């Protein structure tokens, strides 16, 4: 194998000098210009509202984790979010050393920068080379200005995504602290099917172009190439370039990084499957990051599941559509990535249909994926497959739908509406759902828009799904699912629903006590239903995570899984229809022989089952019927040998069912994870409970899915002890069974 590494060019705009070889000794080392550690902006002129009144102690409200700054305070222009603007001007100082070094992070837009002005002239203007909340060292070579007076200007004149800047620790010194190398090339003569790249999650991404003789072989990849340690490896499949010389060109790297020196070829790649929090029977990607389920369609006896996928790391980015198929919704066969980014952008969420009548002229029974191309604008595109989803061709006329007046314009869900003989698309547009119609999937006309003044509006609306359902009494109703983030009932991401009528043009919601939620737990988001399912079944799957912490959960090679597939139904609760969801009947096949427990009366003292299952591996289901017998507060919980506990509390007085995972295991990775989730408790004589555990997930279904609470947990040992408690009265648990769950 031959791998050579060399620097092709070193450049950084026209203001940034090559700093790699200079070393000047003899002066006292560092002279601070601004450290912001006094916690105020004394001496600086601060305009606008982006920078706040004082420096920030780390991240601000709704900002992801900020790292890499020095001490307690830094300059952070995320006050009021990305859309605020402002400028800061330092007091005048005299340049006394050859370099000015500073820590810099935030967005890369033209409106954010840090500049050096000497004698009223701007001599340097620098912006981050990567979008990141992690600050890194940058340097200016200022030897030509020694002895002159200067000021530093920090600007945030940028709105929209990444419209903020982070600055800290501005100092003069005798050497450059920045150690970036630009346009660094790793040359590989391909002799094996994989090139393995080492990744470290908590460092910024760098852009990697894969080239052969100066021709780009694929869209650029954004990779968190290891800087200080290797968290895991990701494979780039290069089988088709065997015998050729491939260049991996990194737009920048840090000379001190460990990663780029260890890029290697390999004959095999097998992702670690033995992580403690890898579920046994839920869908997870083989490696890498996953979010929304996409393109769900049933075809030729197979359930197709596509999904938002990052094959280059276990954090969000590089959106592709991953792909898997199953015959029973439980055993999934992983297939090659279905859709990769192209010149229109990365591949965001969408749906798939089977074009039985060849309306689009792609071919008989083409599987057509309708997805959002997320580039400079969000637009809607098509790709089609004539081999049942194995390979896709992008439609040459993409995009098929655009609207440059709207930033959030995405997640098309399409179905065939027989009554009007048209395809109907539901599309999330800011905080509404807009419906479009088409006869051929390529030309779309706007029908109507729904959502103003109804439902929850705490965040952008996403991932809609409109479908018909039969009610208990044989009537027909339409259901509209809408995911929202933030704004969920227990904060962060969640999915609300509306019940009403659709006439082929407009959706009219029934008068119900909105917002209504398909799941009150923190961990069921972006879920939609399969198209084309036989027997009138409506089968749903959600992403089992929450944007509040999805990028931080303590798994390694992969991040996040799907909920169990669930069958939806409309039930009347005495007052109105509610959308219920239960694990699909196929899930019964997961059950082993149950441990059966006699009816228990829970009086004043707690009752415990010390060992739910022998050799419990963390995958089990608890099924029981609770009779309150007049008790107003009662509950049950699970503990393990490490002192973790997870509690479920039913409070009939407050009509609240709460799930407490505050002490249920690991929670250090995000201050938003430990929490109590609350759901409305129906007023019933009995509560039939199903609760399914799969290593790191818990899914609670009460009264056949009338109330559902899905909660991730990261226990330090298996929950194998169950306790029943009754603070104020007595109640009964009957038909208690505990099943081991697993795939055979
Ligand atoms: C929801 C979402 C979608 C988008 C996708 C991007 O989780 O933001 O709206 O299409 O994720 O990965």
């Amino acid at each position: 194998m031959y791998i050579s590494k060399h620097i092709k060019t070193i450049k950084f705009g026209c203001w940034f000098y090559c700093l790699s070889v200079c070393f000047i000794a003899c002066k006292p080392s560092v002279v601070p210009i601004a450290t912001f550690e006094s916690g105020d902006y004394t001496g600086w002129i601060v305009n606008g509202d982006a920078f706040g009144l004082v420096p920030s102690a780390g991240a601000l409200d709704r900002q992801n984790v900020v790292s890499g700054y020095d001490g307690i305070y830094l300059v952070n222009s995320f006050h009021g979010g990305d859309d605020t603007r402002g400028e800061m001007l330092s007091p005048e100082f005299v340049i006394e050393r050859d370099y000015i070094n500073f820590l810099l992070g935030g967005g890369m837009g033209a409106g954010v920068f840090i500049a050096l002005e000497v004698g009223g002239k701007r001599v340097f203007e620098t912006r981050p080379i990567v979008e990141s909340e992690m600050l890194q060292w940058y340097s200016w070579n200022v030897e030509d200005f020694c002895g002159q007076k200067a000021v530093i200007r920090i600007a945030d004149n940028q709105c929209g995504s990444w419209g903020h800047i982070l600055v800290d620790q501005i100092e003069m010194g005798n050497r450059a602290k920045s150690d970036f190398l630009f346009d660094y090339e790793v040359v590989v003569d391909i002799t094996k099917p994989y090139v393995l790249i080492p990744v470290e999650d908590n460092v910024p991404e760098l852009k990697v172009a894969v080239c052969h003789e100066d021709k780009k072989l694929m869209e650029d990849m954004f990779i968190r190439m290891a800087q200080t340690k290797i968290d895991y490896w990701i494979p780039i499949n290069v089988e088709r370039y065997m015998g050729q010389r491939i260049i991996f060109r990194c737009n920048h790297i840090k000379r001190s990084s460990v990663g780029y020196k260890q890029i290697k070829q390999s004959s095999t790649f097998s992702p670690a499957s033995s992580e403690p929090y890898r579920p046994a029977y839920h869908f997870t990607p083989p490696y890498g990051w996953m979010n929304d389920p996409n393109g769900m369609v049933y075809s030729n006896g197979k359930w197709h599941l596509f999904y938002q996928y990052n094959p280059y790391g276990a954090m969000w980015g590089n959106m592709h559509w991953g792909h898997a198929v199953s015959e029973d919704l439980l055993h999934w066969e992983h297939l090659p990535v279905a859709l990769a980014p192209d010149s229109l952008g990365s591949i965001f969420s969408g749906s798939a249909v089977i074009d039985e009548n060849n309306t689009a002229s792609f071919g008989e029974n083409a599987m057509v994926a309708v997805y959002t191309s997320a580039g400079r604008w969000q637009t809607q595109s098509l790709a089609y497959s004539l081999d049942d989803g194995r390979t896709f061709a992008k439609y040459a006329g993409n995009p098929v739908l655009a609207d440059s007046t709207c930033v959030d314009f995405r997640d098309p869900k399409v179905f065939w509406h027989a009554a009007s003989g048209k395809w109907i698309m539901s599309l999330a547009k800011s905080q509404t759902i807009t419906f479009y119609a088409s006869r051929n999937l390529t030309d779309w006309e706007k029908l109507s828009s729904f959502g103003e003044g109804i439902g929850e509006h705490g965040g952008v609306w996403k991932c809609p799904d409109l479908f018909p359902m039969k009610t208990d009494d044989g009537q027909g109703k339409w259901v509209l699912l809408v995911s929202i983030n933030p704004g969920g009932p227990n904060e962060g991401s969640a999915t609300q629903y509306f019940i009403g009528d659709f006439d082929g043009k407009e959706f009219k919601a029934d008068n119900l006590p909105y917002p209504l939620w398909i799941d009150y737990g923190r961990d069921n988001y972006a879920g939609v239903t399969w198209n084309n399912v036989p027997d009138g079944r409506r089968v749903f799957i959600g992403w089992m995570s929450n944007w509040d912490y999805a990028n931080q959960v303590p798994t390694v090679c992969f991040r996040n899984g799907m909920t169990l597939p669930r069958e939806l139904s409309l039930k009347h609760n005495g007052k109105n229809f509610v959308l219920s969801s239960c694990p699909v009947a196929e899930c019964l096949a997961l059950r082993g022989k149950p441990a059966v427990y006699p009816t228990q009366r829970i009086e004043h003292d707690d009752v415990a089952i010390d060992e739910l299952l022998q050799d419990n591996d963390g995958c089990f289901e608890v099924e029981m019927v609770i009779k309150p017998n007049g008790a107003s507060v009662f509950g049950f919980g699970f503990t393990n040998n490490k002192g973790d506990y997870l509690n479920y509390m039913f409070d009939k007085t407050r009509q609240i069912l709460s799930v407490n995972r505050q002490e249920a295991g690991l929670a250090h990775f995000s201050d938003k994870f430990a929490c109590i989730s609350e759901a409305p408790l129906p007023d019933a004589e009995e509560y039939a409970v199903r609760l399914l555990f799969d290593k790191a997930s818990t899914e609670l279904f009460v009264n056949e899915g009338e109330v559902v609470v899905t909660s991730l947990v990261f226990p330090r040992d298996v929950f194998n002890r169950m306790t029943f408690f009754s603070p104020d009265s007595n109640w009964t648990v009957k038909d208690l069974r505990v099943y081991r769950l697993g795939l055979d």
Side-chain angles (χ1 to χ4, degrees), residues 291-292 308 316 319 348-349 410-411 462-463 525 547:
N291 57 295
D292 313 359
Q308 288 287 280
W316 187 87
M319 281 298 114
F348 272 18
S349 288
R410 60 181 185 266
D411 307 340
K462 299 173 185 174
C463 303
Y525 181 63
W547 282 114

Side-chain angles (χ1 to χ4, degrees), residues 482-496:
V482 177
S483 284
I484 182 170
N485 178 57
N490 288 294
E491 295 191 2
S493 326
T495 301
Q496 57 180 329

Side-chain angles (χ1 to χ4, degrees), residues 399-472:
V400 293
L401 187 59
D403 179 349
S404 57
T405 62
C406 188
V407 181
D408 293 299
F409 183 66
R410 60 181 185 266
D411 307 340
K413 175 81 201 264
V414 174
F415 68 96
W416 178 250
H417 186 244
S420 60
K422 287 182 183 164
W423 299 101
I424 302 290
M425 177 197 290
S426 314
L427 195 68
K429 200 173 169 185
S430 302
Q431 289 193 18
T432 59
I433 302 304
T434 303
F435 300 104
Y436 296 82
S438 171
R439 290 205 184 274
N440 57 9
L441 290 168
T442 51
D443 302 303
W444 292 91
E445 105 191 73
K446 184 177 162 184
L447 296 174
S448 61
S449 174
F450 169 83
E452 214 142 296
I454 187 169
E456 178 59 51
H457 283 271
V460 171
W461 283 23
K462 299 173 185 174
C463 303
D465 190 7
L466 175 70
F467 49 86
M469 291 205 80
K470 284 261 170 302
T471 49
D472 283 352

Side-chain angles (χ1 to χ4, degrees), residues 582-593:
C582 278
V584 290
E586 286 86 339
C587 291
L588 296 177
L590 295 168
R591 289 176 169 179
K593 227 168 117 253

Side-chain angles (χ1 to χ4, degrees), residues 541-665:
I541 205 165
W543 176 48
M544 195 156 53
S545 197
N546 192 307
W547 282 114
D548 275 353
Y549 41 72
N551 273 295
Q552 282 90 40
V553 293
T555 51
V556 183
C557 269
F558 77 101
R559 269 208 185 81
N560 302 304
M562 296 296 179
T563 65
L564 274 179
R566 299 171 183 186
E567 182 138 359
L568 304 184
S569 59
L570 276 184
K571 292 220 169 72
H572 210 279
N573 68 3
K575 288 188 234 137
N576 51 265
F577 285 117
V578 287
L579 185 63
S580 301
S581 36
C582 278
V584 290
E586 286 86 339
C587 291
L588 296 177
L590 295 168
R591 289 176 169 179
K593 227 168 117 253
V596 181
Y597 293 91
T599 298
Q600 303 271 354
R601 231 186 138 72
I602 321 296
E603 292 180 297
H604 299 292
D605 293 329
D606 295 354
V607 171
I609 300 173
D610 284 327
E611 190 181 55
L612 279 178
L613 290 173
Q614 257 179 11
D615 303 322
N616 190 341
D617 64 355
C619 306
F620 60 97
E621 175 176 352
V622 175
E623 188 187 37
M624 65 190 161
V625 175
I626 292 175
K627 268 181 87 70
N629 305 331
S632 53
V633 180
F634 45 95
F636 55 90
F638 299 85
T639 55
N640 61 18
N641 291 331
K642 294 277 197 301
D644 303 332
Y645 64 89
L646 168 70
N647 280 357
Y648 292 81
M649 191 65 93
F650 292 59
D651 184 334
K652 289 202 79 160
T653 318
R654 287 175 61 223
Q655 297 185 322
I656 293 288
L657 163 56
S658 54
V659 181
N660 183 343
R661 68 173 181 199
Q662 285 178 317
E663 303 289 336

